[in-house]
Amino acid sequence: MTDIIQLMHSAVIFGTVIMLGAVGEIITEKAGHLNLGVPGVMYIGGISGLMASFFYENAAAEPSGIISVILSLTATIVGSGLAGLLYGFLTVTLRTNQNVTGLTLTIMGGGIANFFGGMLSKYAGGVGKISTDAASSCYRAYFDFLTGDSTSNPLYAIFGYGWMTFVAIGIAVLAHLFLKKTRAGLGLRAVGENPATADAAGINVTKYKYGAIVVGSVISGLGGLYYTMDYVNGTWIIDGNIEALGWLAVALVIFTTWKPLNAIWGAYLFGLLYWSYLYIPGLTRSSQEIFKMLPYLVTLAVLIVVSLRKKKENLPPEHLGLPYFREER
Amino acid sequence: MSTDAAVEMRGITKSFGTVKANDNIDITLKKGEILALLGENGSGKTTLVNILSGIYYPDEGRVFIDGNETVISSPNDAFSAGIGMIHQHFKLVDVFTAAENIVLGYNESGRKYNIKEAAERIRSIASRYGFDIDPNKKIYDMSVSEKQTVEIVKALYRGARILILDEPTAVLTPQETDKLFDIMRNMKNDGRSIIIITHKLAEVMEISDRVALLRGGKLIDVLQTSRTDSIQLASLMVGKAVSLEINRPNVVKPEDRLVLSGLTYVDREGVKRLDDVSFTARSGEILGIAGVAGSGQKELLDTVAGLVNLESGTITYHPASGGSIKLNGLDPRQIRKLGISISFVPEDRLGMGLVGDMGMTDNMMLRTFDESKGIFVKRNEPRKLADKIKDELDVSTPGVNFPVRRLSGGNVQKVLVGREIASSPSVLMLAYAVRGLDINTSHVIYNLLTEQKMKGTAVIYVGEDLDVLMSLCDRIVVLVGGQVSGVVDARTTSKEDIGLLMTSYKKRGDLRSER
């Protein structure tokens, strides 16, 4: 029983990182832009929030958790927003190849984040010495009156998470409502499906694309922040884990068939699959790695099923990855 | 400014690079009239209406709507001025329903986004003008004519008083065209003003009140339709007297050349594209293929050319020397190895027909490169052929090595047809050979086909303009949803007969419902 609760708990925390990454990427892709820079954006989002909290908590005599949280949130929104803006400027305005630009952003984001992460470590006095306790404990605070003291209480698997876990679900639901129920959502979907049509219908295609890319990047960036503040308790580890999670987020977008609501359970499912190796006895270090592959395998399975069913609604936006020129005749 | 004018355009000039697409055009659309814009490809019709619909902004000139000067710098400005444009290539999102497409981008002040209520309003517009439309149907389930209906309703939903239709009949059957014209008359009687772009003279005569002629970016004349006729319009359009007659000599000694029987082809998505198609192409005859776009024309030619594999049926070739050869399952190379010359001018000229980045010479070589011995290609023969085609068909190109992609549509087609004819084929197949060509070039192509016919070639011609099919071909096969619904004698049939055949499914119901 404790094992199951532990597994569910790990899966949800793991899932929240990629859920945020994936919902951001869905919004971006709905505008017809395949941003393979999600891992880079998550890196940048993570390190900007961490730096803001770290410097604040180092400078203040008695750092307040709330202020530290607000500072880190702001820094993450600005940092990942700027990363999105850069990607948008390159792919929307300059019409560069989206795949190349995205991959470059991933490499650049990793470089920037690990550079500053290393710098912070040195500043803090060594690897693993970075600490942002005030912010991190505020991020990680959960409703212990609901779950009781013990982490083996079944309610712990449902409520024992920091508030961003629930914000992530809220963002996914909002993204769904936005895409399905609002005029702007209809416009955004039209931009990704057929920008010439949207243009002729009087929609400002460039504005929608920039908006979706920047908002999408900010949501993905929050995934990076959740990783640093909640998943690894407010420190920086140079192990490439954010990048691995970022690619899983991209895979999750395909798994969800571009529907934010599917990202909620899909992310948790990926988490379960990813961590299942810890609870299967008799695995060696190398056979564990096979289990970490499971999320990608189910994504492949979804791709095959979707392509067999040929339902147009499950396909990627028609203009995904293609630049739009208005005056091309 | 006159008060009965819905739109006045004054001194409109628009250049693309060094080309003046519109040169100082003055034009007026009166309230409650149907004005036809007539001109050949590249005469500036589409540019002119794109300026009105906010896609392009004019370099010079002013636009007045209902007598007030209006700046139209975006499609949104056009909507708010009451202008609705129905593009030739539909601007619709495939995975959206009709209603979603119609409300897309439309911000009604004070109205909440409510797709159900929008569907109600769409139904009421539809019943007012006689449209047939299901607001909840997805676009990808719709026929071309239904999609066009969505486009028109979209414009009306936004309160358009001025409608622009860019070649609306190009994709319709004669019956659908009649229905569209009825709706246009209803809209006109309701006080709306309509601009229709077309190059079909018969339609101009039928539907318009006045006709404006453009040539080379300039407005040539505006005429009352009732005081003109097709011959005068054609001459004004081309700039010199033209004959609309196509010379059609009688068939001499026809022999069965290509016998198709029971052809059935199912595409990769499991849709039956050809269903038990049987007919015979004879030497010295032009066999027309008529049908709404997508009725199996492309698949039919592809199977004969050996590009796709049939589900069932046989293709039998009868050489002039007698005997018979089965062509089923052979690819184009094997067919050529048997000494059978089947030439194919596909619809997609620069995709399937020619390599756009190569010059005329290299494109000529595509047919023959594997015939020369050794590892090096020989360019002499192809170059001579390219020169010959350039001279004989009057291809205007800077040189035979100039990339064909950069030639005009008419010249590209001359290169392709020239190459295909050069191999003296016994069967010549063409798909939409004159699409996008001006009247003169079209007639050059028609004459080439007739020449081939007189040489004893079996010509199969897939066309879209029924008037042309009826005056060029000897017999016409009509395709509907992959089935042959009839074979008629082109000399005695009428447009109505063909139109009926184009819509009559013989065995099963609507092909679309199978998807």
Side-chain angles (χ1 to χ4, degrees):
Chain A
M1 188 66 196
T2 318
D3 276 359
I4 293 175
I5 291 166
Q6 271 305 320
L7 173 60
M8 282 176 70
H9 199 261
S10 322
V12 167
I13 292 183
F14 182 96
T16 303
V17 180
I18 57 174
M19 189 199 301
L20 284 165
V23 171
E25 178 67 1
I26 290 173
I27 298 284
T28 307
E29 293 197 11
K30 283 288 178 185
H33 281 250
L34 179 66
N35 186 357
L36 290 180
V38 173
V41 170
M42 287 168 71
Y43 262 127
I44 291 174
I47 195 70
S48 352
L50 184 73
M51 281 171 78
S53 284
F54 178 78
F55 285 121
Y56 164 72
E57 291 184 22
N58 249 6
E62 272 186 38
S64 138
I66 304 280
I67 293 179
S68 195
V69 163
I70 291 172
L71 282 175
S72 59
L73 270 179
T74 316
T76 294
I77 289 169
V78 170
S80 47
L82 283 176
L85 207 58
L86 175 67
Y87 174 84
F89 177 69
L90 288 167
T91 55
V92 180
T93 305
L94 302 182
R95 301 189 182 100
T96 57
N97 180 296
Q98 295 181 13
N99 297 342
V100 175
T101 311
L103 289 172
T104 313
L105 182 59
T106 287
I107 297 166
M108 188 191 86
I112 289 178
N114 284 328
F115 169 74
F116 283 111
M119 198 185 83
L120 285 193
S121 291
K122 205 168 177 195
Y123 195 82
V127 174
K129 293 268 175 62
I130 302 172
S131 115
T132 53
D133 271 342
S136 178
S137 52
C138 201
Y139 274 108
R140 292 161 54 78
Y142 60 90
F143 304 108
D144 42 13
F145 62 90
L146 281 172
T147 60
D149 292 337
S150 160
T151 53
S152 55
N153 184 331
L155 286 172
Y156 182 69
I158 302 172
F159 298 109
Y161 311 99
W163 53 272
M164 269 188 84
T165 311
F166 305 101
V167 169
I169 297 173
I171 289 177
V173 172
L174 281 180
H176 165 79
L177 292 176
F178 169 77
L179 288 172
K180 280 283 164 192
K181 302 279 176 196
T182 68
R183 200 170 279 158
L186 185 74
L188 178 61
R189 285 192 286 142
V191 167
E193 290 288 341
N194 193 335
T197 297
D199 198 7
I203 286 171
N204 187 334
V205 174
T206 308
K207 213 167 94 184
Y208 268 77
K209 283 185 171 226
Y210 266 102
I213 290 168
V214 171
V215 170
S217 291
V218 167
I219 297 173
S220 297
L222 289 176
L225 179 69
Y226 182 86
Y227 178 83
T228 53
M229 286 300 179
D230 202 321
Y231 196 110
V232 297
N233 304 352
T235 184
W236 191 258
I237 306 167
I238 302 181
D239 59 359
N241 213 4
I242 292 191
E243 180 166 349
L245 288 166
W247 292 126
L248 263 182
V250 175
L252 182 60
V253 172
I254 300 164
F255 179 86
T256 64
T257 60
W258 291 266
K259 293 178 186 72
L261 285 187
N262 289 348
I264 301 174
W265 64 267
Y268 297 153
L269 175 70
F270 275 29
L272 281 176
L273 292 171
Y274 186 88
W275 287 121
S276 56
Y277 74 89
L278 284 180
Y279 301 90
I280 293 170
L283 293 178
T284 62
R285 263 198 83 81
S286 50
S287 52
Q288 285 177 3
E289 295 299 322
I290 294 183
F291 278 82
K292 295 186 183 172
M293 197 174 74
L294 282 177
Y296 294 101
L297 282 182
V298 294
T299 304
L300 276 178
V302 166
L303 273 178
I304 292 167
V305 170
V306 164
S307 93
L308 286 178
R309 282 183 57 203
K310 291 189 205 93
K311 216 172 143 220
K312 282 230 177 197
E313 282 78 0
N314 288 338
L315 296 179
E318 209 175 306
H319 252 254
L320 185 62
L322 305 172
Y324 174 60
F325 302 87
R326 177 191 264 190
E327 296 230 350
E328 191 175 69
R329 298 209 284 178
Chain B
M1 298 293 116
S2 52
T3 49
D4 66 338
V7 179
E8 286 201 57
M9 299 177 89
R10 290 278 162 266
I12 299 290
T13 300
K14 172 80 185 174
S15 306
F16 292 102
T18 53
V19 183
K20 272 196 175 173
N22 283 162
D23 189 359
N24 198 22
I25 290 182
D26 292 319
I27 199 166
T28 305
L29 172 68
K30 292 180 189 162
K31 280 180 184 155
E33 81 162 346
I34 297 178
L35 174 72
L37 275 188
L38 186 63
E40 302 208 80
N41 286 291
S43 60
K45 301 166 297 192
T46 304
T47 306
L48 187 66
V49 293
N50 274 340
I51 286 172
L52 207 48
S53 63
I55 305 273
Y56 299 144
Y57 192 75
D59 301 336
E60 284 166 45
R62 302 196 285 171
V63 178
F64 298 85
I65 309 289
D66 296 328
N68 305 314
E69 181 159 8
T70 311
V71 176
I72 303 170
S73 56
S74 75
N76 255 343
D77 291 349
F79 294 143
S80 29
I83 297 168
M85 169 118 183
I86 288 88
H87 293 270
Q88 190 180 358
H89 304 287
F90 301 133
K91 307 262 184 185
L92 296 170
V93 179
D94 264 356
V95 295
F96 285 10
T97 63
E100 282 175 330
N101 268 290
I102 286 168
V103 300
L104 178 65
Y106 185 39
N107 281 315
E108 300 154 282
S109 45
R111 230 180 235 282
K112 267 200 187 161
Y113 172 71
N114 181 340
I115 209 82
K116 273 187 191 138
E117 189 204 304
E120 274 317 302
R121 289 171 65 201
I122 290 163
R123 284 197 189 93
S124 81
I125 291 172
S127 61
R128 182 157 156 209
Y129 295 105
F131 291 107
D132 203 1
I133 185 173
D134 173 4
N136 298 320
K137 197 166 174 183
K138 290 269 165 92
I139 300 298
Y140 59 72
D141 281 330
M142 290 187 176
S143 70
V144 179
S145 142
E146 285 176 289
K147 289 180 192 173
Q148 186 178 61
T149 305
V150 175
E151 284 281 13
I152 299 173
V153 174
K154 179 159 105 183
L156 295 173
Y157 185 90
R158 289 154 191 246
R161 288 164 294 112
I162 298 146
L163 283 127
I164 304 164
L165 295 102
D166 189 358
E167 303 213 7
T169 60
V171 290
L172 302 181
T173 64
Q175 279 75 9
E176 287 167 339
T177 302
D178 286 345
K179 208 169 145 195
L180 173 70
F181 283 179
D182 283 342
I183 286 170
M184 283 172 67
R185 287 187 197 101
N186 287 344
M187 295 194 291
K188 172 182 147 183
N189 294 336
D190 200 41
R192 292 170 206 261
S193 320
I194 299 169
I195 296 177
I196 175 173
I197 296 183
T198 177
H199 55 236
K200 293 186 187 165
L201 297 169
E203 291 176 356
V204 174
M205 297 309 296
E206 185 187 341
I207 188 76
S208 69
D209 298 310
R210 290 190 308 148
V211 48
L213 286 134
L214 283 100
R215 191 170 68 227
K218 291 195 170 77
L219 182 69
I220 301 302
D221 209 345
V222 181
L223 301 164
Q224 293 283 340
T225 308
S226 51
R227 291 193 210 138
T228 183
D229 56 52
S230 308
I231 310 238
Q232 188 194 7
L233 288 179
S235 313
L236 281 169
M237 185 161 90
V238 180
K240 57 187 177 198
V242 289
S243 150
L244 292 176
E245 291 290 310
I246 298 169
N247 173 33
R248 174 168 55 189
N250 283 327
V251 181
V252 194
K253 283 201 295 180
E255 287 173 28
D256 287 2
R257 188 62 76 224
L258 198 60
V259 181
L260 312 182
S261 118
L263 300 192
T264 301
Y265 166 64
V266 179
D267 73 5
R268 242 187 288 174
E269 259 133 49
V271 180
K272 222 179 220 185
R273 295 293 179 187
L274 293 179
D275 187 0
D276 196 15
V277 170
S278 306
F279 62 82
T280 303
R282 298 195 290 234
S283 65
E285 174 190 79
I286 299 182
L287 179 70
I289 311 263
V292 185
S295 300
Q297 295 95 324
K298 180 183 184 301
E299 291 79 4
L300 178 63
L301 299 194
D302 283 356
T303 49
V304 176
L307 297 176
V308 295
N309 288 325
L310 284 170
E311 188 93 348
S312 61
T314 53
I315 305 170
T316 319
Y317 175 79
H318 297 274
S321 50
S324 70
I325 305 170
K326 256 180 85 178
L327 299 185
N328 296 42
L330 300 182
D331 64 29
R333 198 192 176 97
Q334 291 166 323
I335 293 174
R336 216 178 319 150
K337 284 259 160 67
L338 288 171
I340 301 167
S341 177
I342 295 181
S343 282
F344 182 22
V345 177
E347 180 181 357
D348 182 7
R349 291 164 205 162
L350 285 178
M352 272 173 79
L354 301 170
V355 177
D357 287 325
M358 302 200 316
M360 280 178 72
T361 308
D362 287 359
N363 269 301
M364 296 303 139
M365 218 156 58
L366 288 178
R367 287 283 288 191
T368 53
F369 72 97
D370 54 345
E371 286 163 15
S372 60
K373 291 202 171 62
I375 56 169
F376 295 105
V377 291
K378 297 186 177 60
R379 272 213 169 69
N380 268 343
E381 287 297 314
R383 181 171 307 128
K384 273 184 213 150
L385 177 58
D387 281 327
K388 186 169 157 242
I389 290 172
K390 180 172 181 271
D391 293 340
E392 283 181 6
L393 298 186
D394 198 18
V395 178
S396 68
T397 167
V400 288
N401 291 320
F402 187 75
V404 291
R405 180 171 48 84
R406 290 167 63 187
L407 304 181
S408 75
N411 285 312
V412 168
Q413 189 66 322
K414 283 180 187 169
V415 173
L416 180 53
V417 173
R419 181 186 78 190
E420 292 303 316
I421 288 176
S423 60
S424 7
S426 50
V427 178
L428 172 62
M429 304 188 293
L430 305 98
Y432 307 110
V434 299
R435 184 180 277 174
L437 306 193
D438 58 40
I439 290 192
N440 281 324
T441 317
S442 300
H443 277 76
V444 171
I445 303 281
Y446 299 148
N447 290 338
L448 281 173
L449 298 188
T450 307
E451 229 172 75
Q452 287 299 308
K453 161 179 158 183
M454 296 322 286
K455 281 187 189 164
T457 307
V459 181
I460 301 176
Y461 177 87
V462 173
E464 44 196 348
D465 190 333
L466 291 184
D467 293 310
V468 169
L469 280 171
M470 285 165 55
S471 48
L472 173 71
C473 303
D474 300 295
R475 287 184 306 143
I476 298 173
V477 172
V478 185
L479 286 180
V480 183
Q483 304 173 353
V484 175
S485 59
V487 183
V488 294
D489 183 338
R491 285 179 176 78
T492 56
T493 189
S494 72
K495 220 168 156 178
E496 284 67 34
D497 290 344
I498 299 180
L500 276 177
L501 287 172
M502 277 166 81
T503 49
S504 59
Y505 292 87
K506 266 200 298 192
K507 290 178 199 156
R508 289 158 295 107
D510 199 324
L511 181 81
R512 265 173 274 118
S513 61
E514 285 174 35
R515 286 198 197 143

